[in-house]
Amino acid sequence: MGETTIRDIARLCGVGVSTVSRAINNHPDINPTTRRKIMEVIAETGFVPNNSAINLKKSDARSIALLIKGITNQFFNRMIQVMEDRAQKLGYTTILRHVEAREDEVQVALQLVKEKRLRGLVFLGGNFTHDEVMLRQLKVPFVFSTVGMPQGEQTWYANVAVDDRLESEKLIDYLIGQGHRRIAIITDAVSVPSVGQLRYQGYSDALRRHGLTADPKLVREVVPNGNEHYTIENGYEEARKLLASDEPFTAVFCIADIFAIGACRAILDAGLRIPEDISVTGYDGIAIGNFYAPRITTIVQPAEEMAEETIRLLFDMIGKKGKPETILMPAELAVRESSGPAKSNASQQAAGDVASPLLHG
Amino acid sequence: MGETTIRDIARLCGVGVSTVSRAINNHPDINPTTRRKIMEVIAETGFVPNNSAINLKKSDARSIALLIKGITNQFFNRMIQVMEDRAQKLGYTTILRHVEAREDEVQVALQLVKEKRLRGLVFLGGNFTHDEVMLRQLKVPFVFSTVGMPQGEQTWYANVAVDDRLESEKLIDYLIGQGHRRIAIITDAVSVPSVGQLRYQGYSDALRRHGLTADPKLVREVVPNGNEHYTIENGYEEARKLLASDEPFTAVFCIADIFAIGACRAILDAGLRIPEDISVTGYDGIAIGNFYAPRITTIVQPAEEMAEETIRLLFDMIGKKGKPETILMPAELAVRESSGPAKSNASQQAAGDVASPLLHG
DNA sequence: TTGTAGGCGTTATCAG
DNA sequence: CTGATAACGCCTACAA
């Protein structure tokens, strides 16, 4: 026997299928008694309508989807809440879809739009190098949010993000202001368009502006292990290598808080102090960064505001009122406990000596 | 114009729909030339088959679903990887579905089974108090994994979990062995069936066994803020209240690592040292616990093994070879930096004095 | 090797 | 108010 269908219910109640359908969907023109009776049978039977059939039939779903890349990115949680709330107020249903690292989000989007008859969608996170041909095939409005984009570059699609490059510069400016000159960076691939690249550029720009230059020996790219780049372990590992290289530095800029936490642990494991020996800074403003010991100095992205702008932009486009815009939101430098003034050269040398035995042991 | 369909492609290629279908699904009996031509047109057009229609049609999908409750639970990531891998090796497709805190996972399961013609499913996390009537309506095999269940209680459905009660006892035994007598607990609702309850019972049992008694003033239940209980913030808040109460204690058992991290921060903020003044322990064994400063002493659940057992059990049931079993896996007590010997009563008092000004200030 | 037709479960239209 | 019936887009016998 296959699953129970709406016809079984109809037969059981001695009514037509359309009547059952009306009962299920709260249609107005149906006898309350009939309705009650049908609902009773449905409850008894445990009948559940087949979603595929519903989707297939429906032409207008009044729903949007949120495609989330990077399940572990705690930063998105708050944004999702806000977006769902706003969409609901506009009478829309929100479909959440987590996209695995190996999946292509545009491909997923294409499928989902067909399957669920979406009115629009939001890409949360992920790379921003997309196959334009595929993207063009998306016939509904969409917004890239929190994805980042090359500074100044104009795109034909909507984009809400923090100016990664600028904010990184802000952070490096602060470190330089604290007397740091040898500043390391732990980042994601700098050679492919990504937030990693943008944040690296900001770092590099800021150094140059101050007459300094990015020392390749202080630039560490995490090696993708498995399919998730942004892990504590990766941050730990790169910081460890940095320390083991004996290259002197007084601060390390991690392009994600999650890296910063790993880096902190590596530094502590090497017997060094934060921030007295080495300052550590992150980027993102995730919750845990403010609970770590020491609390992580970072760039806090305005999650709620970004979520609101994203939804506003999307619905402007859905309502034909708006065109794709690029919106750059301001972020905030939160100076906390993991950073401070650079130590003098002399003591820096001493710290290196202390660390060495541990590192090579 | 509606979306392109398989018929449009057929017309464009001057062939029948079944030929297109065959091309798409890699059927053997089709002329390679025809096939290539069709694929070309599909690529040009950007045609994507409608999933709803496919699901509706299919009677056998050879797929299972993983229903994940608690998006933030990093502990699940590794388990999911393993499960997907094993299922794939068995020729099955895995569908991942994140269940929001407010959603009922059984309801979601019921829908999904119909929609996707699932062969079986796994519930990852969530409460274990389920509507048995609804659960019975699930006509495919399913396994609750990492959900926990009352000790010794036999269920009619399959279950893979760590013996939460026993493992908690183990942890408390260790603390008592370290000389701790006043041990606080930060837990989730103890009055509803949940891992929070089980772990609380283990705590309480262990104390009793040692002739101690659980002091209600040292039992803190997190207050659900929003819909996610397991947050760092909640751990922080309860620890803060505990400290503010001036009730003396030398250790705190947090029933989740995520609480432990919050608790650590609260203790450090109060000017106390870990573990010299207060020992902190967690439960779960999530990655970040081992990178926190101090590293968190905890119960490490065997993620991989649990995942394997879950899949084995599920497929035994799918293949009619097996019946629902309850499998309790052993977990490991990882003693790390956040716990140590209890301090003597005298110095404990002193610490209280130090902390007071900060707490009441 | 290819095309035609029927049906998957639901909703909407249109008569009764 | 209620009940047939035709789509929705795809797959799969079955026929050619």
Side-chain angles (χ1 to χ4, degrees):
Chain A
M1 174 206 93
E3 300 278 336
T4 353
T5 74
I6 197 172
R7 293 153 89 99
D8 299 324
I9 303 295
R11 202 177 320 120
L12 250 48
C13 298
V15 300
V17 285
S18 28
T19 308
V20 178
S21 175
R22 277 190 276 262
I24 295 172
N25 299 295
N26 290 317
H27 273 260
D29 42 358
I30 181 174
N31 187 317
T33 320
T34 322
R35 186 178 187 289
R36 197 158 27 231
K37 162 118 201 238
I38 292 173
M39 293 315 275
E40 228 166 66
V41 174
I42 288 180
E44 280 171 22
T45 324
F47 165 73
V48 178
N50 185 315
N51 242 320
S52 295
I54 295 175
N55 288 328
L56 184 57
K57 186 66 195 170
K58 284 226 175 107
S59 52
D60 175 27
R62 262 187 102 75
S63 63
I64 62 170
L66 268 36
L67 295 197
I68 303 141
K69 194 141 191 179
I71 174 181
T72 48
N73 196 332
Q74 306 162 354
F75 175 72
F76 292 149
N77 287 345
R78 182 75 193 124
M79 288 190 71
I80 293 168
Q81 278 179 10
V82 174
M83 289 182 172
E84 280 193 313
D85 175 71
R86 299 300 180 276
Q88 195 186 5
K89 284 193 177 128
L90 290 162
Y92 275 67
T93 303
T94 305
I95 293 171
L96 247 58
R97 171 66 151 86
H98 292 268
V99 181
E100 302 301 301
R102 65 172 180 288
E103 288 179 301
D104 175 39
E105 53 264 43
V106 180
Q107 193 67 52
V108 171
L110 247 19
Q111 285 195 31
L112 215 54
V113 167
K114 276 220 169 176
E115 182 176 342
K116 308 279 192 189
R117 320 273 176 171
L118 303 176
R119 288 274 197 90
L121 39 83
V122 174
F123 292 95
L124 226 44
N127 287 341
F128 47 78
T129 138
H130 295 105
D131 185 346
E132 178 163 341
V133 177
M134 278 171 57
L135 220 41
R136 293 266 184 205
Q137 284 164 9
L138 228 35
K139 295 306 184 200
V140 299
F142 57 92
V143 180
F144 280 92
S145 189
T146 311
V147 179
M149 56 169 297
Q151 196 183 30
E153 189 169 310
Q154 215 47 31
T155 53
W156 54 272
Y157 50 81
N159 210 305
V160 174
V162 151
D163 190 333
D164 284 282
R165 191 162 176 167
L166 195 71
E167 300 298 339
S168 294
E169 277 197 62
K170 197 196 282 182
L171 187 58
I172 301 298
D173 280 349
Y174 152 75
L175 285 175
I176 292 175
Q178 293 285 309
H180 295 279
R181 290 296 173 271
R182 301 271 308 159
I183 302 171
I185 181 170
I186 294 178
T187 179
D188 196 9
V190 301
S191 51
V192 302
S194 61
V195 291
Q197 187 180 61
L198 293 179
R199 293 174 190 175
Y200 168 76
Q201 286 169 345
Y203 158 85
S204 155
D205 288 351
L207 289 179
R208 195 171 320 112
R209 202 157 26 69
H210 287 273
L212 300 166
T213 170
D215 181 344
K217 291 196 288 293
L218 293 182
V219 177
R220 313 285 326 186
E221 294 178 62
V222 297
V223 301
N225 74 358
N227 30 25
E228 177 70 1
H229 296 203
Y230 289 82
T231 64
I232 304 178
E233 287 84 352
N234 278 341
Y236 182 90
E237 190 51 25
E238 294 311 319
R240 195 192 58 72
K241 286 187 204 155
L242 216 39
L243 292 163
S245 75
D246 274 342
E247 201 62 38
F249 64 98
T250 61
V252 54
F253 166 42
C254 302
I255 66 134
D257 288 342
I258 206 83
F259 288 160
I261 288 171
C264 280
R265 188 67 246 189
I267 291 167
L268 296 172
D269 281 356
L272 298 172
R273 292 162 305 162
I274 305 169
E276 292 81 358
D277 296 319
I278 296 178
S279 285
V280 178
T281 67
Y283 194 113
D284 277 345
I286 61 177
I288 203 163
N290 204 22
F291 286 90
Y292 196 79
R295 295 174 196 274
I296 309 288
T297 291
T298 193
I299 294 287
V300 179
Q301 304 196 61
E304 264 176 63
E305 289 80 353
M306 289 175 78
E308 299 209 342
E309 277 302 287
T310 301
I311 290 297
R312 188 188 60 68
L313 204 53
L314 183 66
F315 280 93
D316 275 2
M317 288 162 72
I318 290 177
K320 310 284 187 206
K321 286 173 302 199
K323 308 192 67 159
E325 283 178 68
T326 291
I327 298 179
L328 255 23
M329 312 280 299
E332 193 197 341
L333 169 63
V335 176
R336 305 208 271 234
E337 303 165 354
S338 70
S339 65
K343 63 192 296 188
S344 72
N345 256 348
S347 49
Q348 171 187 330
Q349 210 43 48
D353 293 346
V354 169
S356 295
L358 281 163
L359 292 166
H360 301 293
Chain B
M1 173 207 94
E3 300 279 336
T4 15
T5 75
I6 197 173
R7 294 152 87 99
D8 298 325
I9 304 294
R11 202 179 319 119
L12 250 47
C13 298
V15 300
V17 284
S18 39
T19 310
V20 178
S21 175
R22 278 189 275 264
I24 294 173
N25 299 296
N26 290 317
H27 273 259
D29 42 359
I30 180 174
N31 187 317
T33 320
T34 321
R35 186 176 188 291
R36 198 159 25 235
K37 162 122 201 230
I38 293 172
M39 293 316 275
E40 225 167 69
V41 174
I42 287 180
E44 279 171 23
T45 325
F47 165 72
V48 178
N50 184 317
N51 243 320
S52 296
I54 295 175
N55 288 328
L56 186 56
K57 184 67 196 175
K58 283 224 176 111
S59 51
D60 175 28
R62 264 186 101 75
S63 63
I64 61 171
L66 269 36
L67 296 197
I68 303 140
K69 194 141 189 178
I71 174 181
T72 48
N73 196 333
Q74 305 163 355
F75 175 71
F76 292 149
N77 288 344
R78 181 74 193 124
M79 287 190 73
I80 293 168
Q81 277 180 12
V82 174
M83 290 183 171
E84 281 193 312
D85 175 69
R86 299 299 181 278
Q88 195 187 4
K89 282 190 178 132
L90 290 162
Y92 274 68
T93 304
T94 306
I95 293 171
L96 248 58
R97 172 64 152 85
H98 291 268
V99 181
E100 302 302 300
R102 64 171 180 287
E103 287 180 302
D104 175 39
E105 53 264 43
V106 181
Q107 192 68 53
V108 172
L110 247 19
Q111 286 195 34
L112 214 55
V113 167
K114 277 221 170 178
E115 181 175 342
K116 308 279 193 190
R117 319 271 177 174
L118 303 177
R119 288 273 196 93
L121 40 83
V122 173
F123 292 95
L124 226 43
N127 286 342
F128 47 78
T129 136
H130 295 105
D131 185 347
E132 178 163 341
V133 176
M134 278 171 59
L135 219 44
R136 294 264 183 207
Q137 284 165 9
L138 227 35
K139 295 305 183 201
V140 298
F142 57 91
V143 180
F144 280 92
S145 189
T146 311
V147 178
M149 55 167 299
Q151 197 182 28
E153 189 169 309
Q154 216 45 32
T155 52
W156 55 272
Y157 50 82
N159 211 305
V160 174
V162 151
D163 190 332
D164 284 281
R165 193 161 175 169
L166 194 71
E167 300 298 340
S168 294
E169 278 197 62
K170 196 195 285 180
L171 187 57
I172 301 300
D173 280 349
Y174 152 75
L175 285 175
I176 292 175
Q178 293 285 310
H180 295 279
R181 291 294 174 272
R182 302 273 306 158
I183 303 172
I185 182 172
I186 294 178
T187 180
D188 196 9
V190 301
S191 51
V192 301
S194 61
V195 291
Q197 188 181 59
L198 294 179
R199 293 173 191 176
Y200 169 76
Q201 286 169 345
Y203 159 84
S204 158
D205 289 350
L207 289 179
R208 196 171 319 112
R209 202 157 28 68
H210 287 273
L212 300 166
T213 171
D215 181 344
K217 292 196 286 291
L218 292 183
V219 177
R220 312 287 326 186
E221 294 178 61
V222 297
V223 301
N225 74 358
N227 30 26
E228 177 70 359
H229 296 203
Y230 289 82
T231 64
I232 303 178
E233 287 84 351
N234 278 342
Y236 182 90
E237 190 52 25
E238 294 311 319
R240 195 193 57 72
K241 286 188 202 152
L242 216 39
L243 291 163
S245 75
D246 274 343
E247 202 60 40
F249 64 99
T250 62
V252 54
F253 167 41
C254 303
I255 66 136
D257 288 342
I258 206 84
F259 288 159
I261 289 171
C264 280
R265 189 67 246 188
I267 291 166
L268 295 173
D269 282 355
L272 298 171
R273 292 161 305 161
I274 304 169
E276 292 81 359
D277 296 318
I278 296 178
S279 284
V280 178
T281 68
Y283 194 113
D284 278 344
I286 61 175
I288 203 163
N290 204 22
F291 286 90
Y292 196 78
R295 295 175 196 274
I296 310 288
T297 290
T298 193
I299 295 287
V300 180
Q301 304 195 61
E304 264 176 64
E305 290 80 352
M306 290 175 78
E308 298 208 341
E309 278 302 286
T310 302
I311 289 296
R312 188 188 60 68
L313 204 52
L314 182 66
F315 279 94
D316 275 2
M317 290 162 71
I318 290 177
K320 310 284 188 207
K321 286 173 301 199
K323 308 192 67 160
E325 284 178 68
T326 291
I327 298 179
L328 254 24
M329 311 281 298
E332 192 197 342
L333 169 62
V335 176
R336 304 207 273 235
E337 304 164 354
S338 70
S339 64
K343 63 192 297 186
S344 72
N345 256 345
S347 49
Q348 173 186 329
Q349 210 42 49
D353 292 346
V354 169
S356 293
L358 281 163
L359 292 167
H360 302 292

